[in-house]
């Protein structure tokens, strides 16, 4: 089984490789092909993987290339984890938005739109090449903004592209933990768009345990989302939102926290990651130890401004170890071995949410088997959530239209129609500001 990783010089590749090393089952991945535009990053990551594999019998073989077509030929699975414009681009996204007083987060609000406008044309190019060179391959998209990028790719790959995110799984795991339920036996009733979804129930043996959580302020205050949103607001909603909804429900505070921070998340990661790749230029640098130290720091500071704005304190140790690679591996295993699994994934709606059309990519529990991911029926969303989902999907559609046609008017509409952009004038200035700093947006006319 051959897995190709696009963005193979990326910092989180060792997480994926670590998960593969733990997989001993029949039909597991035996070959990993890393693709990246940057040969130095490829060699840094290859060194980390080599140290991870030391002493592991039958570790998957790793090769690296800067030739995309070579990387895609013969792939059974393609992980797409690219970052168009790099972390410098992410920091620019934040800066331009904050200068207008709006949010520049890489997946939410103006920043997410700018990142999407840059990424969709590249993701579409990848999708077309996969369709031509590896039509039987399954594409697992990690590239943010993950829902939008998955939808862009699905226009060329249909249901062969599946988007993943670890935030719904992490949320489900935390809720199960505070309820004393086994996360492996719990069904998480979650739906929405990527980074815009709500847990409305957690069923164990057919019984919904969520009301017990919502009724107990002490339990509500004992986990990340409870502290972020506050017990009162969760009770009021009757649901637990994805942590990224903090940017919506507490927009003013999160924008201010970002403005007051020494450095935005993107700027912090730009500097932190640059140091890692710089250290890796020394041939004697301890690759795995250097990577692991950098990873721990990255995880500990995740959403720090939001936690600060909410007075939520530090992250819990149990929440640090991600889960992104576990979702990817579970998905691959279910597809490759026809091992049925229920996973929350980004797939085409096909009638699951009646308010969206069949091709809209949503994030929803899916039954996965050798035929792919099949969304499960879920209860409709309440009006307030439907409103946000429809508004943001309309924004995503404007981004896709802009990427397709090069229409600047579509790009302006994308910004102006976003619930977190408060004026059409701001939208115009955002388009000007972003096109001035990002050469990748030169296609907008
Ligand atoms: C979560 C999100 C991902 C995001 C990751 C890293 O897992 O679901 O979409 O890429 O965090 O965030 P960071 O701010 O460290 O890049
Ligand atoms: Mn995510």
């Amino acid at each position: 089984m051959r897995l190709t990783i696009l963005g193979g010089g990326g910092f989180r590749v060792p997480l994926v490789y670590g998960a593969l090393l733990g997989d001993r089952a029949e039909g597991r991945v035996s070959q990993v092909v890393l693709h990246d535009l940057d040969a130095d990053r490829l060699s840094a990551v290859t060194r980390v993987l080599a140290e991870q594999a030391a002493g592991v019998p039958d570790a998957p073989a790793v090769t690296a290339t800067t030739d995309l077509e070579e990387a895609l030929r013969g792939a059974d699975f393609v992980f797409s984890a690219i970052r168009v414009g790099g972390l410098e681009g992410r920091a620019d996204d934040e800066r331009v938005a904050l200068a207008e007083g709006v949010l520049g987060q890489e997946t939410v609000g103006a920043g997410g739109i700018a990142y999407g406008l840059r990424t969709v044309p590249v993701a579409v190019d990848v999708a077309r090449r996969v369709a031509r060179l590896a039509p039987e391959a399954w594409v697992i998209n990690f590239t943010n903004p993950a829902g939008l990028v998955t939808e862009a790719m699905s226009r060329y790959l249909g249901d062969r592209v599946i988007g993943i995110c670890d935030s719904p799984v992490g949320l489900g795991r935390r809720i199960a933990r505070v309820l004393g339920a086994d996360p492996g036996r719990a069904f998480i009733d979650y739906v929405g768009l990527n980074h815009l979804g709500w847990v409305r129930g957690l069923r164990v043996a057919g019984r919904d345990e969520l009301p017990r959580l919502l009724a107990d302020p002490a339990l509500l205050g004992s986990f990340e989302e409870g502290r972020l949103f506050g017990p009162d607001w969760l009770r009021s909603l009757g649901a637990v939102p994805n942590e990224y909804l903090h940017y919506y429900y507490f927009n003013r505070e999160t924008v201010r926290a970002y403005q007051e921070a020494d450095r935005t998340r993107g700027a912090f990661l730009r500097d932190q990651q640059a140091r890692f790749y710089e250290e890796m230029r020394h041939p004697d640098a301890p690759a795995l130890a250097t990577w692991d130290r950098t990873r721990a720091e990255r995880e500990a500071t995740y959403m720090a401004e939001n936690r600060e704005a909410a007075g939520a304190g530090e992250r819990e140790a149990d929440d640090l170890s991600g889960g992104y690679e576990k979702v990817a591996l579970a998905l691959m295993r279910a597809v490759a071995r026809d091992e049925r699994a229920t996973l929350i994934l980004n797939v085409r709606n096909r009638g699951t949410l009646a308010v969206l059309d069949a091709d809209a990519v949503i994030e929803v529990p899916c039954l996965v088997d050798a035929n792919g991911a099949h969304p499960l029926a879920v209860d409709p969303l309440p009006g307030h959530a439907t409103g946000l989902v429809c508004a943001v999907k309309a924004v995503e559609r404007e981004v896709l239209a802009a990427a397709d046609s090069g229409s600047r008017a579509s790009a302006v509409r994308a910004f102006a129609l976003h619930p977190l952009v408060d004026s059409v004038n701001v939208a115009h200035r955002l388009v000007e500001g972003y096109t001035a700093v990002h050469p990748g947006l030169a296609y907008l006319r």
Side-chain angles (χ1 to χ4, degrees):
M1 191 70 61
R2 182 191 291 191
L3 166 66
T4 292
I5 305 183
L6 308 180
F11 186 76
R12 290 195 285 179
V13 169
L15 292 174
V16 174
Y17 192 64
L20 298 178
L21 286 173
D23 183 13
R24 313 301 309 163
E26 184 87 10
R28 71 210 174 99
V29 170
S30 52
Q31 266 180 294
V32 175
V33 180
L34 305 180
H35 172 268
D36 205 285
L37 302 175
D38 183 332
D40 289 343
R41 286 165 63 93
L42 277 176
S43 87
V45 168
T46 305
R47 280 174 57 202
V48 179
L49 305 194
E51 287 192 23
Q52 286 179 292
V56 180
D58 311 322
V62 177
T63 54
T65 176
T66 53
D67 181 329
L68 180 57
E69 305 222 331
E70 180 190 319
L72 292 177
R73 273 192 208 98
D76 298 297
F77 286 95
V78 177
F79 283 8
S80 177
I82 58 176
R83 184 175 283 286
V84 179
L87 284 164
E88 189 71 55
R90 180 170 171 182
D92 288 338
D93 287 344
E94 294 167 337
R95 190 170 44 75
V96 170
L98 286 176
E100 286 299 334
V102 295
L103 189 72
Q105 207 280 333
E106 64 160 343
T107 62
V108 179
I113 295 170
Y115 190 26
L117 285 168
R118 254 190 350 269
T119 306
V120 166
V122 180
V124 162
D125 176 65
V126 168
R128 291 179 131 138
R129 286 176 204 254
V130 173
R132 180 161 54 82
L133 299 166
E136 303 287 294
W138 292 91
V139 177
I140 302 181
N141 178 57
F142 302 69
T143 300
N144 271 331
L148 167 64
V149 169
T150 302
E151 186 165 321
M153 296 180 92
S154 75
R155 293 182 173 182
Y156 300 87
L157 295 168
D159 294 323
R160 286 209 165 253
V161 59
I162 299 168
I164 68 169
C165 176
D166 61 343
S167 65
V169 190
L171 172 56
R173 198 177 51 215
R174 285 189 283 280
I175 296 177
R177 191 172 69 217
V178 292
L179 286 168
D182 173 1
R185 295 188 49 229
F187 176 77
I188 317 291
D189 177 346
Y190 175 97
V191 73
L193 305 183
N194 177 239
H195 292 187
L196 190 79
W198 296 261
V199 171
R200 294 96 45 82
L202 181 138
R203 290 200 285 279
V204 183
R207 201 185 127 95
D208 186 6
E209 300 282 339
L210 196 67
R212 187 156 65 77
L213 172 64
L214 293 172
D216 186 335
L219 278 187
L220 280 173
S222 72
F223 73 111
E224 180 83 12
E225 283 75 7
R227 289 191 289 267
L228 212 49
F229 295 102
D232 281 353
W233 183 236
L234 297 189
R235 288 232 299 249
S236 232
L237 282 175
V240 185
N242 183 294
E243 58 197 350
Y244 283 82
L245 273 150
H246 194 238
Y247 293 112
Y248 288 83
Y249 295 139
F250 296 87
N251 184 249
R252 186 177 291 218
E253 292 80 2
T254 51
V255 170
R256 192 181 307 131
Y258 250 77
Q259 283 169 329
E260 288 170 358
D262 284 347
R263 264 175 312 180
T264 55
R265 180 69 175 162
F268 166 76
L269 290 175
R270 174 198 62 203
D271 299 347
Q272 191 226 28
Q273 305 268 297
R275 272 197 307 280
F276 165 73
Y277 288 100
E278 192 53 44
E279 283 178 63
M280 292 301 291
R281 286 174 172 277
H282 298 287
D284 325 319
L288 183 53
T290 308
W291 174 78
D292 201 49
R293 173 169 45 76
T294 312
R295 177 199 58 76
E297 185 190 32
R298 181 177 187 165
E299 286 175 1
T301 52
Y302 174 67
M303 284 195 139
E305 287 79 18
N306 302 69
R307 277 181 284 111
E308 167 116 20
E314 303 283 293
R315 294 187 84 192
E316 278 182 43
D318 280 358
D319 296 339
L320 292 176
S321 56
Y324 150 96
E325 65 284 4
K326 291 189 196 117
V327 185
L329 185 65
L331 171 56
M332 242 182 358
R333 287 178 69 132
V335 172
R337 294 172 212 157
D338 206 13
E339 273 173 22
R340 287 191 163 204
T342 303
L343 299 167
I344 300 174
L345 300 166
N346 288 269
V347 297
R348 292 196 287 186
N349 175 42
R350 302 180 201 153
T352 312
L353 284 179
V355 291
L356 296 178
D357 60 78
D359 294 337
V361 165
I362 62 168
E363 193 165 78
V364 63
C366 296
L367 186 67
V368 191
D369 60 20
N371 293 310
H374 319 281
L376 295 172
V378 289
D379 290 339
L381 284 165
H384 65 85
T386 296
L388 277 182
V389 162
C390 290
V392 172
K393 183 52 78 181
V395 167
E396 291 185 359
R397 291 283 166 81
E398 293 296 348
V399 172
L400 294 174
D404 222 26
S405 64
S407 156
R408 210 177 168 92
S410 288
V412 171
R413 270 198 301 274
F415 287 105
L417 297 175
H418 198 286
L420 301 183
V421 173
D422 55 352
S423 158
V424 174
N425 291 331
V426 171
H428 277 284
R429 289 198 296 271
L430 287 168
V431 171
E432 275 158 36
Y434 283 129
T435 47
V437 296
H438 291 312
L441 292 182
Y443 71 87
L444 290 174
R445 313 247 155 229

